[in-house]
Amino acid sequence: MKTYPYTPSQLANASATDLLAFLKSPTLLARRMGEILSAQQFIGNALLQGRFTLQGGAIAVPSNEKIRTDRKAESVAPGAEYKLTPLSAEQYEIYTGSKEGLATEVTDEEVGRSLRQPVDEAMLLLQTELVFNANELSLGVITSSVTQTLAGGAWTNAKQILKDALRAQATVRRLKLGYSVDTVVLNSIQYAEVLPELIDLLPSTDTSAITGNWPTINGLTWIASDDDEISDPLFVDSRRLGGIAREAIPSPEYRPVGGDTGVEIASFREKADKTRIQARNPHVPVVTNPLAGIFLTGTGA
C-alpha cells in the first residue's frame, strides 16, 4: 500500500485493493478523518476552553460560582498576622458522561465500482453528524446555564454594535469576579448582516473578509453558529465559562482524530463483503461559571 498521506494524484490512481487495505487501518482512517475534521468546527471547543477528565463516568462542578472571599484584603502592619477568611461551603452539580456515536458501511462492490467516492462519502457523513450533534449539545448546555441578560439597541450600524459590545463587556467585568469577555456568538443569519458593518472597523491590512476567518475587534472574536439555540448575541469569557469533559474508554480498536476534536474512529471487517466504519465522541460540555456569559437582547436578531 502507498505511504500515507496520499497525494492528490495517488488518491486519484488508488486501486480498489489499495482502498480496501486503507479501510482496514484505524490509524490511516484517523489521519484521513483529521484532514476533514478540525477542532475549530466544534463551537463548544471555542466557547468552553477548559478540559476535564471524566472519572467513573461523571464530573462534579461547584454550582455556587463564588470565587471571592467573605472578607476583603486589608492593610497589614509589619510583622502582624494576616486576617483569616473562611472558604465558601460549595454545592456541586453532577454532569454524567455521554457517548455520541455513529456507524456506516462501505461494501466491496461500492469500492470496486466507484473507488474512493464511497469512502469519502462515509467519512464526510460521520464528520457532519458528529459536528452538528456536539455543537447542538454544547449550545444547549450554555443557553440553559447562562441567564444574565442586557438590553441593547437595534444593530443597524457599526457604532451601535460596538457600543453594545462594550456595554456587555463592562457589565460582566463590573461583577468583579475576574471575568473578561473575549468572544461573541451570533446566529449565522445575523452574523451575515453584522459582519459587513464590522469590516469597516478593521484596518485595511486585515484579511478577514477575504479568508473567512473570525474577525477580532476591540479584543472580541466574532463567530457564527448555524444552530437554532442562539437567538440573541451571546458574549462570553471563553477561558472561564466552562470546558469539555472527556472520558478515556479503553477500546483498542479506536484511534483519536486530530488534535483536540475528542473524536475517535475504528473500522471492522464484516463477513458480508463490507467494512463497517464507526466514530464516537465520549464527552460532555460543562458550564462552571454561568456569570461569565451574557445575552444581549433587542438587537433585531
Side-chain angles (χ1 to χ4, degrees):
M1 185 176 179
K2 298 178 178 64
T3 303
Y4 192 89
Y6 281 159
T7 64
S9 61
Q10 286 176 322
L11 279 172
N13 297 323
S15 67
T17 302
D18 291 330
L19 292 168
L20 288 173
F22 171 83
L23 285 171
K24 292 173 61 177
S25 172
T27 300
L28 299 187
L29 283 173
R31 290 179 184 174
R32 174 57 182 152
M33 190 73 162
E35 292 178 348
I36 62 176
L37 177 67
S38 67
Q40 287 72 26
Q41 292 174 290
F42 294 97
I43 195 169
N45 286 5
L47 303 182
L48 303 168
Q49 294 189 7
R51 295 295 177 265
F52 313 113
T53 300
L54 285 168
Q55 298 290 347
I59 183 172
V61 177
S63 60
N64 59 351
E65 199 176 5
K66 185 173 181 180
I67 64 171
R68 301 194 66 187
T69 60
D70 295 330
R71 180 175 292 161
K72 294 183 178 180
E74 300 176 2
S75 298
V76 180
E81 290 288 338
Y82 289 83
K83 295 292 184 180
L84 186 66
T85 184
L87 295 176
S88 60
E90 294 181 325
Q91 297 179 347
Y92 291 86
E93 291 183 358
I94 305 297
Y95 287 76
T96 57
S98 65
K99 180 175 66 176
E100 297 179 353
L102 191 67
T104 188
E105 294 175 336
V106 179
T107 67
D108 295 351
E109 286 86 350
E110 288 175 320
V111 174
R113 295 165 185 169
S114 302
L115 296 178
R116 56 177 288 216
Q117 179 182 347
V119 179
D120 286 346
E121 289 179 351
M123 304 288 274
L124 288 170
L125 170 69
L126 297 176
Q127 173 250 353
T128 300
E129 292 301 324
L130 286 172
V131 168
F132 281 138
N133 288 345
N135 287 349
E136 183 178 353
L137 179 61
S138 294
L139 288 174
V141 171
I142 292 171
T143 54
S144 64
S145 301
V146 176
T147 58
Q148 191 175 197
T149 61
L150 175 69
W155 280 11
T156 56
N157 58 78
K159 183 177 180 180
Q160 182 65 48
I161 296 170
L162 184 58
K163 175 183 176 181
D164 283 340
L166 293 174
R167 290 177 60 234
Q169 283 183 299
T171 300
V172 173
R173 191 168 56 248
R174 285 168 64 86
L175 295 174
K176 297 183 179 180
L177 294 173
Y179 304 141
S180 179
V181 169
D182 60 5
T183 304
V184 189
V185 188
L186 309 175
N187 66 61
S188 54
I189 300 300
Q190 188 178 35
Y191 183 85
E193 297 171 349
V194 166
L195 186 61
E197 297 290 339
L198 295 177
I199 292 299
D200 292 338
L201 302 177
L202 295 171
S204 58
T205 55
D206 190 275
T207 60
S208 297
I210 300 173
T211 62
N213 294 331
W214 307 126
T216 298
I217 300 173
N218 197 51
L220 287 169
T221 300
W222 299 71
I223 66 178
S225 168
D226 291 326
D227 295 271
D228 296 332
E229 280 78 5
I230 298 294
S231 56
D232 293 311
L234 171 63
F235 292 75
V236 303
D237 181 344
S238 63
R239 295 157 296 189
R240 301 288 302 280
L241 182 63
I244 305 294
R246 292 171 177 156
E247 183 174 12
I249 304 174
S251 302
E253 301 87 359
Y254 285 86
R255 298 293 183 274
V257 174
D260 188 37
T261 66
V263 174
E264 299 170 327
I265 194 168
S267 66
F268 304 91
R269 183 64 184 171
E270 303 288 348
K271 295 180 180 179
D273 303 333
K274 57 187 177 182
T275 302
R276 180 185 180 93
I277 306 172
Q278 59 189 45
R280 70 187 187 189
N281 189 358
H283 78 293
V284 60
V286 175
V287 173
T288 56
N289 301 305
L291 291 177
I294 186 171
F295 281 102
L296 190 69
T297 62
T299 63

